[in-house]
Amino acid sequence: MTYTVTVEPTGEQIEVEDGQTILQAALRQGVWLPFACGHGTCATCKVTVLDGDVEIGEASSFALMDSEREEGKVLACCATVESDVIIEADIDVDEDFEGFPVKDYTATVSKIVDLSPTIKGIHLLLNSSMTFQAGQYINLNVPGCDGARAFSIANPPSNGQEIELHVRQVPSGSATGYIHEKLKVGDSLPLSGPYGQFFVRRSQPGNLIFIAGGSGLSSPQSMILDLLEKGDKRHITLFQGARNQDELYNADLFAALAKKHTNLTYIPALNDAEDDENWKGFKGFVHEAANAHFNNRFAEHKAYLCGPPLMIDAALTALMQGRLFERDIFMEKFITAADGADEQRSALFKKI
Protein backbone atom coordinates (compact mmCIF):
# COMPACT_ATOMS: atom_id res chain seq x y z
CA MET A 1 0.00 0.00 0.00
CA THR A 2 1.23 3.49 -0.88
CA TYR A 3 0.06 6.70 0.78
CA THR A 4 0.53 10.37 -0.10
CA VAL A 5 2.15 12.74 2.37
CA THR A 6 1.72 16.46 1.72
CA VAL A 7 4.41 18.65 3.25
CA GLU A 8 3.37 22.13 4.35
CA PRO A 9 4.14 24.98 3.91
CA THR A 10 5.72 24.06 0.55
CA GLY A 11 2.85 21.87 -0.64
CA GLU A 12 5.24 19.20 -1.94
CA GLN A 13 3.89 15.66 -2.05
CA ILE A 14 5.70 12.36 -1.54
CA GLU A 15 4.59 8.77 -1.91
CA VAL A 16 5.26 6.63 1.17
CA GLU A 17 5.16 2.84 1.09
CA ASP A 18 4.17 0.52 3.93
CA GLY A 19 6.95 0.35 6.51
CA GLN A 20 8.87 3.27 4.99
CA THR A 21 9.49 6.29 7.20
CA ILE A 22 8.44 9.76 6.10
CA LEU A 23 12.08 10.87 6.03
CA GLN A 24 13.24 7.90 3.92
CA ALA A 25 10.52 8.55 1.35
CA ALA A 26 11.18 12.29 1.25
CA LEU A 27 14.93 12.00 0.68
CA ARG A 28 14.51 9.38 -2.02
CA GLN A 29 12.14 11.67 -3.90
CA GLY A 30 14.30 14.77 -3.65
CA VAL A 31 12.14 16.48 -1.02
CA TRP A 32 14.23 18.01 1.74
CA LEU A 33 13.21 17.65 5.39
CA PRO A 34 15.61 18.79 8.11
CA PHE A 35 17.30 15.90 9.93
CA ALA A 36 20.56 14.96 11.64
CA CYS A 37 20.87 11.65 13.49
CA GLY A 38 18.28 9.65 11.54
CA HIS A 39 17.69 7.41 14.59
CA GLY A 40 15.03 9.22 16.61
CA THR A 41 17.32 10.78 19.19
CA CYS A 42 18.10 14.38 18.15
CA ALA A 43 14.64 15.86 17.33
CA THR A 44 15.90 17.75 14.27
CA CYS A 45 13.30 16.09 12.03
CA LYS A 46 10.32 16.90 14.26
CA VAL A 47 7.13 17.66 12.28
CA THR A 48 3.46 18.23 13.13
CA VAL A 49 0.73 15.94 11.77
CA LEU A 50 -2.15 18.14 10.60
CA ASP A 51 -4.29 15.35 9.18
CA GLY A 52 -4.14 11.57 8.81
CA ASP A 53 -2.93 8.54 10.76
CA VAL A 54 0.73 8.17 11.69
CA GLU A 55 2.59 5.54 13.73
CA ILE A 56 5.21 7.28 15.86
CA GLY A 57 7.73 4.43 15.81
CA GLU A 58 10.81 4.18 18.05
CA ALA A 59 11.24 7.86 18.85
CA SER A 60 13.23 8.66 21.96
CA SER A 61 11.18 10.06 24.86
CA PHE A 62 13.83 12.78 25.19
CA ALA A 63 13.54 13.83 21.54
CA LEU A 64 9.75 13.56 21.48
CA MET A 65 8.11 14.25 24.83
CA ASP A 66 4.68 12.92 25.83
CA SER A 67 3.16 16.40 25.63
CA GLU A 68 4.46 16.80 22.08
CA ARG A 69 3.03 13.44 21.06
CA GLU A 70 -0.36 14.57 22.33
CA GLU A 71 0.00 17.71 20.17
CA GLY A 72 0.45 15.56 17.06
CA LYS A 73 4.20 15.92 16.70
CA VAL A 74 6.30 13.04 15.33
CA LEU A 75 9.88 12.44 14.22
CA ALA A 76 10.01 11.99 10.44
CA CYS A 77 12.95 9.57 10.73
CA CYS A 78 10.83 7.13 12.80
CA ALA A 79 7.25 7.79 11.77
CA THR A 80 5.37 5.61 9.29
CA VAL A 81 1.96 6.45 7.82
CA GLU A 82 -1.29 4.50 7.80
CA SER A 83 -3.32 6.82 5.54
CA ASP A 84 -2.83 9.88 3.37
CA VAL A 85 -1.26 12.48 5.65
CA ILE A 86 -0.60 16.22 5.82
CA ILE A 87 2.38 17.34 7.88
CA GLU A 88 3.88 20.71 8.73
CA ALA A 89 7.67 20.97 8.79
CA ASP A 90 10.06 23.75 9.72
CA ILE A 91 11.63 24.02 6.27
CA ASP A 92 14.08 26.76 5.39
CA VAL A 93 14.03 26.58 1.61
CA ASP A 94 17.51 27.21 0.19
CA GLU A 95 17.57 28.32 -3.43
CA ASP A 96 21.03 26.78 -3.90
CA PHE A 97 19.95 23.30 -2.82
CA GLU A 98 19.57 21.13 -5.90
CA GLY A 99 17.63 18.35 -4.16
CA PHE A 100 19.01 15.26 -5.88
CA PRO A 101 17.07 12.14 -4.83
CA VAL A 102 18.75 9.62 -2.56
CA LYS A 103 19.39 6.29 -4.29
CA ASP A 104 20.91 2.92 -3.38
CA TYR A 105 24.20 1.82 -4.93
CA THR A 106 26.57 -1.11 -4.90
CA ALA A 107 30.21 -0.02 -4.70
CA THR A 108 33.43 -1.90 -5.43
CA VAL A 109 36.59 -0.77 -3.68
CA SER A 110 38.88 0.33 -6.52
CA LYS A 111 41.77 1.86 -4.56
CA ILE A 112 42.94 2.36 -0.97
CA VAL A 113 45.53 5.06 -0.27
CA ASP A 114 47.39 5.84 2.97
CA LEU A 115 46.87 9.60 3.21
CA SER A 116 48.34 9.87 6.70
CA PRO A 117 49.11 7.48 9.59
CA THR A 118 45.46 7.74 10.68
CA ILE A 119 43.55 8.60 7.48
CA LYS A 120 42.94 6.43 4.43
CA GLY A 121 41.60 7.46 1.04
CA ILE A 122 38.93 4.98 -0.05
CA HIS A 123 37.91 5.01 -3.71
CA LEU A 124 34.60 3.34 -4.56
CA LEU A 125 33.46 2.46 -8.08
CA LEU A 126 29.66 2.62 -8.21
CA ASN A 127 27.37 0.39 -10.25
CA SER A 128 25.78 3.58 -11.62
CA SER A 129 26.77 7.24 -11.51
CA MET A 130 25.68 9.35 -8.53
CA THR A 131 24.50 12.93 -9.01
CA PHE A 132 25.36 15.08 -5.99
CA GLN A 133 26.37 18.55 -4.83
CA ALA A 134 29.94 19.15 -3.72
CA GLY A 135 30.02 18.91 0.07
CA GLN A 136 27.37 16.22 0.45
CA TYR A 137 27.91 12.76 1.98
CA ILE A 138 26.95 9.12 1.58
CA ASN A 139 25.77 6.48 4.05
CA LEU A 140 28.04 3.43 3.84
CA ASN A 141 27.13 -0.02 5.13
CA VAL A 142 30.19 -1.64 6.72
CA PRO A 143 30.31 -5.40 7.43
CA GLY A 144 29.67 -6.27 11.06
CA CYS A 145 28.31 -2.82 11.94
CA ASP A 146 24.68 -2.05 12.79
CA GLY A 147 23.40 0.87 10.78
CA ALA A 148 25.06 2.88 8.05
CA ARG A 149 27.98 5.26 8.63
CA ALA A 150 28.16 8.69 7.00
CA PHE A 151 31.26 9.84 5.11
CA SER A 152 31.73 13.02 3.08
CA ILE A 153 32.48 12.75 -0.62
CA ALA A 154 35.93 14.18 -1.40
CA ASN A 155 35.82 14.26 -5.22
CA PRO A 156 33.92 16.81 -7.32
CA PRO A 157 30.49 15.97 -8.81
CA SER A 158 32.01 15.82 -12.30
CA ASN A 159 33.06 12.25 -11.44
CA GLY A 160 29.99 10.59 -9.99
CA GLN A 161 30.96 7.09 -11.11
CA GLU A 162 33.86 6.71 -8.66
CA ILE A 163 33.66 8.47 -5.31
CA GLU A 164 36.48 9.20 -2.89
CA LEU A 165 36.22 9.14 0.90
CA HIS A 166 38.72 10.24 3.57
CA VAL A 167 38.35 7.94 6.56
CA ARG A 168 40.11 8.62 9.86
CA GLN A 169 40.46 5.65 12.19
CA VAL A 170 38.44 6.42 15.31
CA PRO A 171 39.54 4.82 18.59
CA SER A 172 37.02 2.07 19.40
CA GLY A 173 35.19 2.79 16.14
CA SER A 174 33.97 -0.51 14.69
CA ALA A 175 33.30 0.88 11.19
CA THR A 176 36.52 2.86 10.77
CA GLY A 177 38.44 0.00 12.38
CA TYR A 178 37.09 -2.39 9.76
CA ILE A 179 37.88 0.03 6.94
CA HIS A 180 41.47 0.53 8.12
CA GLU A 181 42.24 -3.05 9.08
CA LYS A 182 40.13 -5.37 6.93
CA LEU A 183 38.79 -3.59 3.84
CA LYS A 184 40.62 -4.47 0.62
CA VAL A 185 40.50 -3.64 -3.07
CA GLY A 186 37.76 -5.62 -4.82
CA ASP A 187 35.43 -5.73 -1.82
CA SER A 188 31.79 -4.84 -2.45
CA LEU A 189 29.84 -2.49 -0.17
CA PRO A 190 26.27 -1.13 -0.33
CA LEU A 191 25.74 2.60 0.13
CA SER A 192 23.12 5.28 -0.39
CA GLY A 193 23.26 8.98 -1.15
CA PRO A 194 23.56 11.83 -1.58
CA TYR A 195 22.69 13.39 1.78
CA GLY A 196 23.30 16.72 3.46
CA GLN A 197 22.90 20.48 3.34
CA PHE A 198 26.60 21.36 3.35
CA PHE A 199 27.34 22.94 -0.03
CA VAL A 200 28.51 26.24 -1.48
CA ARG A 201 25.80 28.90 -1.65
CA ARG A 202 26.55 30.10 -5.17
CA SER A 203 23.86 32.76 -5.17
CA GLN A 204 25.39 34.55 -2.19
CA PRO A 205 28.14 37.11 -2.93
CA GLY A 206 31.46 37.27 -1.13
CA ASN A 207 34.85 35.59 -1.27
CA LEU A 208 35.14 32.15 0.30
CA ILE A 209 36.96 30.88 3.37
CA PHE A 210 37.34 27.14 3.99
CA ILE A 211 38.63 25.88 7.35
CA ALA A 212 39.27 22.14 7.57
CA GLY A 213 40.74 19.88 10.21
CA GLY A 214 41.77 16.23 9.95
CA SER A 215 39.68 14.19 7.54
CA GLY A 216 37.32 17.17 7.46
CA LEU A 217 39.28 18.21 4.38
CA SER A 218 37.06 15.88 2.34
CA SER A 219 34.07 18.19 1.85
CA PRO A 220 36.12 21.36 1.24
CA GLN A 221 38.24 19.42 -1.25
CA SER A 222 35.12 18.46 -3.21
CA MET A 223 33.78 22.02 -3.03
CA ILE A 224 37.03 23.71 -4.07
CA LEU A 225 37.70 21.31 -6.95
CA ASP A 226 34.15 21.90 -8.17
CA LEU A 227 34.48 25.69 -7.93
CA LEU A 228 37.77 25.67 -9.85
CA GLU A 229 36.41 23.31 -12.52
CA LYS A 230 33.46 25.61 -13.08
CA GLY A 231 35.61 28.73 -13.30
CA ASP A 232 34.22 30.50 -10.23
CA LYS A 233 35.97 33.88 -10.01
CA ARG A 234 35.62 34.50 -6.27
CA HIS A 235 38.78 34.28 -4.20
CA ILE A 236 39.06 31.03 -2.24
CA THR A 237 41.22 30.71 0.88
CA LEU A 238 41.74 27.23 2.31
CA PHE A 239 43.10 26.79 5.84
CA GLN A 240 44.00 23.17 6.56
CA GLY A 241 44.81 22.16 10.12
CA ALA A 242 46.76 19.10 11.24
CA ARG A 243 48.82 18.03 14.25
CA ASN A 244 52.11 17.54 12.41
CA GLN A 245 53.56 17.05 8.92
CA ASP A 246 52.76 13.34 8.91
CA GLU A 247 49.07 14.12 9.43
CA LEU A 248 48.99 16.92 6.85
CA TYR A 249 47.76 15.21 3.70
CA ASN A 250 47.06 16.39 0.14
CA ALA A 251 49.19 19.48 0.78
CA ASP A 252 50.99 19.01 -2.54
CA LEU A 253 47.64 18.90 -4.34
CA PHE A 254 46.47 22.24 -2.96
CA ALA A 255 49.88 23.90 -3.25
CA ALA A 256 49.88 22.97 -6.95
CA LEU A 257 46.31 24.20 -7.41
CA ALA A 258 47.19 27.51 -5.73
CA LYS A 259 50.05 28.00 -8.19
CA LYS A 260 47.76 27.26 -11.12
CA HIS A 261 44.77 29.34 -9.97
CA THR A 262 45.37 32.94 -8.91
CA ASN A 263 42.08 33.00 -7.00
CA LEU A 264 43.13 30.18 -4.62
CA THR A 265 45.25 30.69 -1.50
CA TYR A 266 46.34 27.64 0.51
CA ILE A 267 47.52 27.96 4.12
CA PRO A 268 48.32 24.79 6.11
CA ALA A 269 48.75 25.04 9.89
CA LEU A 270 50.35 22.56 12.30
CA ASN A 271 49.51 22.77 16.01
CA ASP A 272 52.31 20.47 17.22
CA ALA A 273 55.30 21.70 15.22
CA GLU A 274 57.16 23.97 17.62
CA ASP A 275 60.19 21.65 17.56
CA ASP A 276 59.97 20.86 13.83
CA GLU A 277 62.79 22.82 12.22
CA ASN A 278 61.78 21.53 8.78
CA TRP A 279 58.34 23.12 8.96
CA LYS A 280 58.36 26.64 7.52
CA GLY A 281 54.61 27.16 7.51
CA PHE A 282 52.23 28.40 10.19
CA LYS A 283 52.72 26.94 13.67
CA GLY A 284 49.54 26.93 15.71
CA PHE A 285 45.90 26.02 15.42
CA VAL A 286 44.05 26.44 12.15
CA HIS A 287 41.72 29.17 13.45
CA GLU A 288 44.81 31.10 14.58
CA ALA A 289 46.18 30.85 11.05
CA ALA A 290 42.92 32.31 9.72
CA ASN A 291 43.09 35.14 12.26
CA ALA A 292 46.67 35.94 11.32
CA HIS A 293 46.03 35.90 7.57
CA PHE A 294 42.95 38.11 7.71
CA ASN A 295 44.11 40.24 10.65
CA ASN A 296 40.98 39.13 12.51
CA ARG A 297 38.72 40.79 9.90
CA PHE A 298 36.44 38.38 8.05
CA ALA A 299 33.61 40.68 7.01
CA GLU A 300 32.10 40.26 3.52
CA HIS A 301 33.24 36.63 3.28
CA LYS A 302 31.37 33.34 3.39
CA ALA A 303 32.97 30.66 5.57
CA TYR A 304 32.68 26.88 5.36
CA LEU A 305 33.95 24.84 8.32
CA CYS A 306 34.44 21.09 8.43
CA GLY A 307 36.20 19.02 11.07
CA PRO A 308 36.17 17.82 14.69
CA PRO A 309 34.09 19.60 17.35
CA LEU A 310 36.92 21.50 19.06
CA MET A 311 38.18 22.89 15.76
CA ILE A 312 34.68 23.92 14.68
CA ASP A 313 33.97 25.70 17.97
CA ALA A 314 37.29 27.57 17.95
CA ALA A 315 36.93 28.59 14.30
CA LEU A 316 33.34 29.70 14.82
CA THR A 317 34.36 31.92 17.75
CA ALA A 318 37.24 33.44 15.78
CA LEU A 319 35.08 34.20 12.74
CA MET A 320 32.30 35.81 14.72
CA GLN A 321 34.77 37.89 16.74
CA GLY A 322 36.15 38.98 13.36
CA ARG A 323 32.75 40.39 12.33
CA LEU A 324 31.38 37.46 10.37
CA PHE A 325 27.71 36.82 11.13
CA GLU A 326 25.94 33.51 11.62
CA ARG A 327 24.22 33.82 8.24
CA ASP A 328 27.66 33.85 6.59
CA ILE A 329 28.97 30.64 8.21
CA PHE A 330 28.16 27.07 7.17
CA MET A 331 29.39 24.09 9.16
CA GLU A 332 29.68 20.32 9.22
CA LYS A 333 30.86 18.89 12.52
CA PHE A 334 32.26 15.34 12.68
CA ILE A 335 30.76 13.56 15.70
CA THR A 336 32.61 10.31 16.51
CA ALA A 337 32.70 7.67 19.22
CA ALA A 338 35.81 9.39 20.57
CA ASP A 339 33.80 12.58 21.01
CA GLY A 340 31.31 10.79 23.21
CA ALA A 341 28.69 10.05 20.58
CA ASP A 342 26.81 6.77 20.51
CA GLU A 343 28.94 4.11 18.81
CA GLN A 344 26.22 3.34 16.29
CA ARG A 345 26.59 6.88 14.96
CA SER A 346 30.36 6.92 15.12
CA ALA A 347 30.88 8.66 11.79
CA LEU A 348 27.68 10.63 11.51
CA PHE A 349 27.87 14.29 10.66
CA LYS A 350 25.68 16.64 12.63
CA LYS A 351 25.04 20.10 11.28
CA ILE A 352 25.23 22.84 13.86
Side-chain angles (χ1 to χ4, degrees), residues 16 18 33 45 69 87 89-90 99 196 206 208 213 221 233 246 257 266-267 301-302 309 311 323 339 344:
V16 184
D18 276 335
L33 293 177
C45 66
R69 298 174 190 229
I87 63 172
D90 184 14
L208 307 174
Q221 176 174 305
K233 300 302 182 184
D246 287 340
L257 287 171
Y266 172 57
I267 301 175
H301 285 79
K302 300 296 180 184
M311 186 224 82
R323 305 301 297 166
D339 298 313
Q344 184 171 342

Side-chain angles (χ1 to χ4, degrees), residues 291-306:
N291 265 338
H293 181 76
F294 284 101
N295 195 27
N296 199 29
R297 297 176 183 174
F298 303 104
E300 300 182 358
H301 285 79
K302 300 296 180 184
Y304 296 83
L305 319 180
C306 193

Side-chain angles (χ1 to χ4, degrees), residues 3 16 29 62 97 118 195 217 230 260 268:
Y3 300 105
V16 184
Q29 293 168 58
F62 296 99
F97 180 54
T118 61
Y195 297 94
L217 180 65
K230 293 178 178 177
K260 181 179 179 181

